[in-house]
Amino acid sequence: SLVIVGTGIMLVGQATLEAVACMRRADALFYHVLDPATEAWLHRLNAAAVSLKDCYAEGKPRQKTYREMTARILAAVRSGLDVCAAFYGHPGVFVNPAHDAIRRARREGFSARMLPGISSEDCLFADLGVDPSDNGCQSFEATDFLASRRRFDPTSGLVLWQVGMLGESSVRAYMSCRSERLRVLAAFLRRHYPTHHPVVLYEAAQFPTCDPMIKRTSLAKLTRQTIMPMTTLYMPPKPARPADRRIVRWFDEAD
Ligand SMILES: C[S@@+](CC[C@H](N)C(=O)[O-])C[C@H]1O[C@@H](n2cnc3c(N)ncnc32)[C@H](O)[C@@H]1O
């Protein structure tokens, strides 16, 4: 069997009780997390814990890395073990091998499920005081956002993930968004927002003693920023357009 779980963004405290129980009792525990403290915690939870980090290598296409991760997880499932794979954040949010492993395991007749976890977007809602019920909120992978010329509504919030890896097919040491690509993103956003519209660069805290990194800037100054792989970009909504009065009147209708 296979269970895919998330460890949350912050060390230990954001893993659900259900995820911790699964990680503890698994015959094989694979993991991809970002910091050595979480790694040490996982090894204490389960002595059979094995990192998937070595699937990454500089210059190696990310898709190949993901295929290798899936293959390792599935090989353990096929050998009859109860397997758990843990990914940081929510395991179903921007984690290609998690979805792929579940699809393949099910196709081969194994029981496979995913448990939700706390994603960086969940932390962003909490730290920036954003409630998606107010104006709606759209979430895009940054390269896909540009490449697919995504249509979106600037009067809703906009979350852009992986800006620090804009157009990158692999990992590089000390990676950050290439300045010429950041200029393309800024130019695209300027078609939809005024020049001085606020932009928030956000990094959720990974350790209980740390604060989140919240840098408020403007669209005009976006190209001067260094955007790291762990940064998520948030554009607050433009002022709302007038509401449709026919719909607003529904609130006044008697039952
Ligand atoms: C491969 S995705 C993984 C997302 C993760 N599964 C989650 O649930 O948040 C990597 C992207 O997630 C976002 N991210 C990861 N860690 C973050 C953090 N500590 N603060 C803000 N965003 C983060 C960034 O946009 C980053 O480029």
Side-chain angles (χ1 to χ4, degrees), residues 88-90 93-94 119-120 161-162 165 202-204 229-232:
Y88 76 91
H90 185 306
V93 175
F94 291 76
S119 72
S120 41
W161 302 66
Q162 302 196 152
M165 293 176 263
Y202 172 73
E203 279 178 32
M230 284 304 107
T231 306
T232 296

Side-chain angles (χ1 to χ4, degrees), residues 3-160:
V3 186
I4 306 261
V5 304
T7 59
I9 301 294
M10 186 177 283
L11 174 66
V12 182
Q14 288 181 347
T16 64
L17 295 175
E18 194 184 19
V20 173
C22 285
M23 292 190 283
R24 190 174 270 140
R25 67 169 175 253
D27 299 325
L29 171 62
F30 295 97
Y31 65 86
H32 174 53
V33 296
L34 297 179
D35 65 278
T38 304
E39 206 165 327
W41 171 62
L42 294 178
H43 282 271
R44 273 206 306 277
L45 272 184
N46 189 327
V50 176
S51 173
L52 293 168
K53 193 158 75 187
D54 58 313
C55 294
Y56 282 100
E58 199 160 331
K60 180 171 169 183
R62 261 210 305 268
Q63 293 311 322
K64 187 159 188 255
T65 296
Y66 296 159
R67 280 199 299 276
E68 278 181 21
M69 287 182 173
T70 306
R72 281 196 203 175
I73 294 168
L74 279 183
V77 174
R78 287 185 197 118
S79 71
L81 300 176
D82 284 331
V83 178
C84 180
F87 293 87
Y88 76 91
H90 185 306
V93 175
F94 291 76
V95 190
N96 171 298
H99 288 290
D100 199 28
I102 287 192
R103 265 192 305 268
R104 283 162 183 253
R106 284 182 183 157
R107 215 182 293 146
E108 294 180 25
F110 297 102
S111 143
R113 69 197 172 113
M114 180 182 285
L115 306 183
I118 294 184
S119 72
S120 41
E121 190 178 65
D122 296 317
C123 299
L124 181 150
F125 291 151
D127 287 330
L128 301 187
V130 171
D131 185 337
S133 77
D134 289 339
N135 302 287
C137 188
Q138 304 145 103
S139 203
F140 296 101
E141 200 282 329
T143 309
D144 165 74
F145 179 71
L146 288 178
S148 304
R149 295 185 205 91
R150 293 287 173 202
R151 295 200 178 159
F152 70 104
D153 179 353
T155 70
S156 283
L158 174 68
V159 176
L160 292 179

